[in-house]
Amino acid sequence: VDDGALSVIGPDGDTPSDHSLQSPGPGIVLPANARMIFDHAYAFDAGYDGGVVEYSTNNGSTWLDAGGLMDAGLMYDSVLIAGSGNPLENRVAFTQFSSFGYQKTRLNLASLAGQTVRFRFRVGTDSIIGGNGWFIDNVNVYTCPVAAGAPVINPGPVPQSAISGGSATFTVTATGDPTLRYQWLRNGVPIAGATASSLTLTNVHQSDYAYYSVIVSNNAGSATSDGAVLFVGFTGAPLIT
């Protein structure tokens, strides 16, 4: 039962802080087609405090954001505001006033197969208002069998950059038999009409800053790519000559 009695709590105080819960070193060797799922609930000072999931393939020397690996359940919901003193400012995170109870988030770890990986849940806060924090429970790593002919993605979409008002294209390469079908996602939510092997976004703006992934499926199964982030920059100010 997800009642918080045995969960791990990431505090959300009213001073700048950086707390994390890390899996022990040197990590676990991930098998093929691995997944990780966890239950969590949170209540943050929205936009100013928040939590992220990170992973390391070098025993904690460096950490990478795992948002691009999330493929089901609750996804990151907003960008942490810059200038507040939060060590995680400018990053996409879990940062709303409420998750409305315990929710599940799943990560697709297939791209990390064979590597020794550690994970951490990290909370960053600013110096103003606090909240109830982040409650994490039932973290589980498991594998899914792959049926003959099921889609295999290689490679998946890669991060893109565009200026405001410009365009960006994500592509995926996959194999499988019978015929493949495609469905692109934005932060885990299907994009209407985006059912080709590439996704082109036009007239992009800051609101398009998100993770984009794709589900490739056929009658034998399905595969979900890692998410690739779209960075959107501002055009330069006009020059008077």
Side-chain angles (χ1 to χ4, degrees), residues 15-111:
T15 57
S17 67
D18 189 347
H19 299 281
S20 65
L21 168 69
Q22 302 181 15
S23 61
I28 57 174
V29 179
L30 292 176
N33 210 33
R35 303 286 190 273
M36 182 173 82
I37 195 166
F38 61 94
D39 298 327
H40 59 134
Y42 54 85
F44 289 117
D45 179 18
Y48 293 92
D49 304 331
V52 297
V53 184
E54 298 176 328
Y55 67 96
S56 174
T57 57
N58 53 17
N59 198 21
S61 295
T62 57
W63 295 87
L64 301 172
D65 190 273
L69 304 179
M70 297 176 186
D71 70 346
L74 196 64
M75 308 287 182
Y76 288 162
D77 41 45
S78 190
V79 179
L80 292 169
I81 295 170
S84 66
N86 186 333
L88 301 179
E89 63 181 26
N90 285 320
R91 289 183 58 174
V92 183
F94 298 113
T95 179
Q96 291 302 305
F97 287 114
S98 176
S99 62
F100 300 99
Y102 274 89
Q103 310 288 340
K104 293 184 182 294
T105 293
R106 188 181 71 184
L107 280 68
N108 183 340
L109 308 179
S111 62

Side-chain angles (χ1 to χ4, degrees), residues 122-166:
R122 184 180 175 193
V123 173
T125 65
D126 69 355
S127 59
I128 307 175
I129 301 171
N132 292 334
W134 195 11
F135 299 77
I136 301 163
D137 203 353
N138 300 325
V139 181
N140 184 29
V141 176
Y142 62 98
T143 60
C144 295
V146 178
V152 175
I153 295 173
N154 186 24
V158 298
Q160 300 292 321
S161 298
I163 61 173
S164 183

Side-chain angles (χ1 to χ4, degrees), residues 65 68 156-162 168-171 184 209-213 226-232:
D65 190 273
V158 298
Q160 300 292 321
S161 298
T169 298
F170 295 96
T171 60
W184 288 88
Y209 172 43
Y211 285 99
Y212 293 86
S213 58
D226 294 346
V229 68
L230 171 62
F231 298 98
V232 181

